[in-house]
Amino acid sequence: MSVSLLRNTAFLPSIPLGIQTIYSAKMRSSLNQETPSQKNLGCDGSGGSSVPELRVFIRRKRVKKTVEVIAKEVKEESSGKKFVRLPEIEDFSYSKDVTHSQSTPSKSVHLTGEKALSQLTQTEIKGFSLSDPLQPPLNWEKVLEGIRKMRSAEDAPVDSMGCEKAGSSLPAKERRFAVLVSSLLSSQTKDQVNHGAIQRLLQNGLLTADAIDSADEETIKSLIYPVGFYTRKASNLKKVAKICLSKYNGDIPNSLEELLLLPGIGPKMAHLVMNVAWENVQGICVDTHVHRISNRLGWVSRPGTKQKTKTPEETRESLQLWLPKEEWVPINPLLVGFGQTICTPLRPRCAICTVSDLCPSAFKEAASPSSTPKK
DNA sequence: ATCCGGTCAC
DNA sequence: GTGACTGGAT
């Protein structure tokens, strides 16, 4: 309840540095209809069953001249479910994702500066009772279900083949390497073209770190042609093979951080490789379709605002704050296919979309002049 | 002519 | 943030 939250946070400054402290607060569901003043104050303590209890884990430590306050995590008491979303405040920055082995990635808000303590107090009240940022978007399950239905009716290119199938008949280690290579080649390239390139590499025995390392770059280049950016990719492939050989005994890195060190592997592919090669879901694989559609649906926003996310990475972080982990892997093929057939970048086909009534962007984009070219 | 299922360097 | 890398498709 907000009263105890206020009281607790009020004596925060007296708590010794470095001690982890736990605060409890009751959070009112955003679905409840109530007056703003009630919202602002949160539950008055009558303890309705619709009000889940939250805990905030807070750590304080001294950083140079100021005190840094870190709200470690938020979790719902009743279900035990952890939330990693922390509320809107001014003058703060999100820390980088911290991933705990196989568990849910967590995120913390770092507050630094003189006003950190008072900011945190405001934040908790605002976040838990008013703006209620822990709630997933309204109707997201209906939207997802609708998209699934549309996807099973239509046939999108993504259905036919993807790099997740690369080398499915190979021994584990070679299969992982094949997945990595396939990811490397597949950016900005149609699956079919990519698949052909992988087949040619395989037929020439060039789908292991060892073979690629000793092969001629020109040979690789000609085999992977015509995947997009084949010159650069051939060069990256050589470098990656060498790294895999020297640092990982010919296998591929098994962590997100190490995958990102490989040339040609960025966040999108690193998450894909973790998902597919290691079956270890560290994050959502966000490509341009997932990015675009998440924003159209109003599923993501820049931290603490209602603005659209600007990059796929921002989208990934925003999505991961509320989307249940079971959906992290399937969301990509689902939205990619949807984005290829219906929710296209240009002139989305809202008229045939069965979830347009739940989409804040439906029919909003300039119905572009397919028949009225203005120049 | 313009659009890609991305990454990297300025 | 912006553009280069690349060539095929619409």
Side-chain angles (χ1 to χ4, degrees):
Chain A
M1 57 192 74
S2 64
V3 176
S4 71
L5 172 67
L6 279 166
R7 199 184 302 126
N8 280 340
T9 52
F11 67 71
L12 182 65
S14 68
I15 294 162
L17 292 177
I19 290 197
Q20 178 158 328
T21 316
I22 300 169
Y23 297 97
S24 295
K26 298 246 177 181
M27 186 185 78
R28 183 171 285 283
S29 161
S30 68
L31 301 179
N32 292 348
Q33 297 304 320
E34 53 188 333
T35 68
S37 65
Q38 282 174 313
K39 266 192 179 178
N40 207 14
L41 292 174
C43 174
D44 65 7
S46 58
S49 58
S50 65
V51 184
E53 180 150 356
L54 297 183
R55 303 172 88 186
V56 193
F57 296 75
I58 296 169
R59 167 168 290 144
R60 308 168 67 219
K61 68 176 181 186
R62 188 170 287 286
V63 179
K64 293 183 182 172
K65 288 183 287 189
T66 61
V67 173
E68 183 180 50
V69 178
I70 304 172
K72 262 305 228 190
E73 61 184 24
V74 180
K75 92 176 184 185
E76 187 181 341
E77 289 288 280
S78 49
S79 68
K81 181 171 182 174
K82 282 187 186 173
F83 292 99
V84 292
R85 177 74 152 104
L86 286 167
E88 167 189 354
I89 50 173
E90 292 179 325
D91 180 30
F92 76 96
S93 61
Y94 282 108
S95 68
K96 251 197 122 174
D97 271 6
V98 181
T99 49
H100 305 293
S101 55
Q102 307 264 339
S103 64
T104 311
S106 73
K107 172 175 280 201
S108 54
V109 170
H110 286 224
L111 298 144
T112 54
E114 320 229 13
K115 293 189 289 186
L117 296 181
S118 59
Q119 279 177 352
L120 184 63
T121 305
Q122 293 164 13
T123 293
E124 289 177 1
I125 294 165
K126 209 165 152 190
F128 298 162
S129 308
L130 189 59
S131 57
D132 195 6
L134 301 182
Q135 289 301 318
L138 212 54
N139 289 323
W140 69 271
E141 285 169 296
K142 282 186 194 165
V143 172
L144 213 50
E145 186 52 36
I147 295 175
R148 276 194 210 102
K149 290 229 174 74
M150 287 185 270
R151 290 283 287 107
S152 52
E154 297 239 358
D155 205 34
V158 71
D159 289 331
S160 49
M161 58 195 83
C163 74
E164 52 272 14
K165 302 213 177 141
S168 50
S169 60
L170 270 39
K173 183 167 153 182
E174 294 177 29
R175 186 186 62 86
R176 287 193 292 270
F177 191 79
V179 170
L180 179 65
V181 172
S182 181
S183 303
L184 205 46
L185 298 185
S186 70
S187 69
Q188 300 286 283
T189 303
K190 293 279 189 292
D191 276 336
Q192 201 166 344
V193 173
N194 184 41
H195 188 251
I198 293 292
Q199 288 305 308
R200 286 190 296 279
L201 286 174
L202 186 58
Q203 283 158 16
N204 287 274
L206 283 176
L207 213 40
T208 68
D210 220 1
I212 291 180
D213 183 49
S214 42
D216 184 51
E217 189 167 317
E218 286 300 316
T219 308
I220 294 171
K221 188 170 158 182
S222 65
L223 284 174
I224 64 177
Y225 180 91
V227 301
F229 317 124
Y230 55 89
T231 307
R232 172 156 312 199
K233 284 174 181 174
S235 152
N236 284 340
L237 208 41
K238 289 283 292 182
K239 290 177 190 157
V240 165
K242 200 171 270 304
I243 294 170
C244 286
L245 218 44
S246 65
K247 288 179 66 178
Y248 307 100
N249 191 31
D251 207 334
I252 69 174
N254 70 352
S255 75
L256 200 61
E257 294 75 18
E258 291 174 289
L259 284 167
L260 288 169
L261 293 177
L262 303 176
I265 296 289
K268 194 252 170 180
M269 294 310 175
H271 284 287
L272 185 68
V273 172
M274 285 308 290
N275 292 179
V276 176
W278 295 107
E279 294 170 38
N280 175 354
V281 181
Q282 294 282 315
I284 299 171
C285 179
V286 174
D287 55 45
T288 174
H289 294 295
V290 175
H291 178 55
R292 177 183 71 253
I293 295 168
S294 296
N295 276 296
R296 281 183 178 163
L297 291 171
W299 280 2
V300 294
S301 60
R302 287 168 76 78
T305 75
K306 288 175 184 168
Q307 300 162 41
K308 291 179 172 189
T309 56
K310 289 214 161 77
T311 65
E313 270 295 271
E314 269 185 11
T315 299
R316 182 181 64 76
E317 302 197 343
S318 187
L319 259 186
Q320 287 176 187
L321 296 176
W322 62 266
L323 187 69
K325 208 163 181 181
E326 310 85 77
E327 303 291 346
W328 285 17
V329 171
I331 192 86
N332 179 277
L334 191 66
L335 294 193
V336 169
F338 182 54
Q340 288 170 334
T341 55
I342 297 173
C343 198
T344 49
L346 220 48
R347 295 185 283 286
R349 303 165 70 190
C350 303
I352 65 163
C353 176
T354 61
V355 296
S356 59
D357 55 331
L358 298 175
C359 175
S361 309
F363 304 106
K364 292 274 176 65
E365 305 208 8
S368 196
S370 59
S371 52
T372 50
K374 78 175 176 190
K375 54 176 181 174

